[in-house]
Amino acid sequence: CDGRVCRPALPGVPALAAELGGTRAFLEWWLILFLGTVGLMKAAGFLPHDLSQVAGLVEGVGAAVFLPRWPAVVGLLGKGGGDRSFKLGCWMILAGLGVIMSTNKRKSPTCWSQIWFTFELMRSTKGMAACRPAVIALFMGLAGGLVLQQTDVFGAKAAKLALSGGLVSAAAAAHRRHMSKYA
């Protein structure tokens, strides 16, 4: 490094993570790797607890969308795609963690630390105003998890699958509304 932004030697490392440096880059990569892996393990049934498959699916998809500024993701999201992938990924991760908050796992320091990491990353990257929609996403996940636990109309498995699809489609609808502003 010569005093300017240092670029890692690894090919394909997202540009923003290299430019952020320090804490933000660590938090960004931690959330992608940890929640992506744990989310997929939950979704596959390897870490079973109440609503773990729903939460794992939402967390895993959020981590995949969150992959910061990867050209393939940014290209799909259009102009400002990097910013949108960042926000949408954070919101989905928080919604998945909100589902976990609705269960007995809410006592886990791991769950709370990931919530704090996500909010800290959003605050340090986008400012406090970006945390407002993130709080809504967290509470939407919490409300969805509570509804799933109380409702057994079609059976627990069908309700879990319906909510996970509903959260993903709600996030996609919010993204389409946001994209229409730039069209």
Side-chain angles (χ1 to χ4, degrees), residues 13-141:
V13 173
L16 186 61
E19 292 167 6
L20 288 176
T23 305
R24 286 188 281 175
F26 170 78
L27 289 174
E28 195 165 10
W29 282 104
W30 173 260
L31 290 169
I32 291 167
L33 297 173
F34 181 78
L35 287 175
T37 303
V38 170
L40 292 175
M41 289 175 67
K42 286 179 191 174
F46 290 114
L47 299 172
H49 59 79
D50 294 344
L51 302 178
S52 65
Q53 290 183 314
V54 172
L57 176 67
V58 177
E59 289 170 1
V61 170
V65 170
F66 184 58
L67 288 171
R69 284 41 110 205
W70 293 99
V73 175
V74 172
L76 290 173
L77 296 176
K79 184 177 179 181
D83 183 54
R84 278 199 266 326
S85 72
F86 177 83
K87 289 178 182 176
L88 188 58
C90 283
W91 296 340
M92 292 182 74
I93 286 170
L94 287 167
L97 291 166
V99 172
I100 297 296
M101 282 176 46
S102 73
T103 70
N104 288 332
K105 295 292 274 184
R106 69 180 156 270
K107 299 172 189 168
S108 167
T110 304
C111 177
W112 288 103
S113 67
Q114 303 317 300
I115 291 169
W116 182 76
F117 286 170
T118 307
F119 276 114
E120 175 56 23
L121 180 62
M122 288 203 72
R123 185 202 60 78
S124 65
T125 305
K126 302 293 179 191
M128 282 301 289
C131 292
R132 290 183 189 115
V135 169
I136 294 169
L138 181 67
F139 282 106
M140 282 179 58

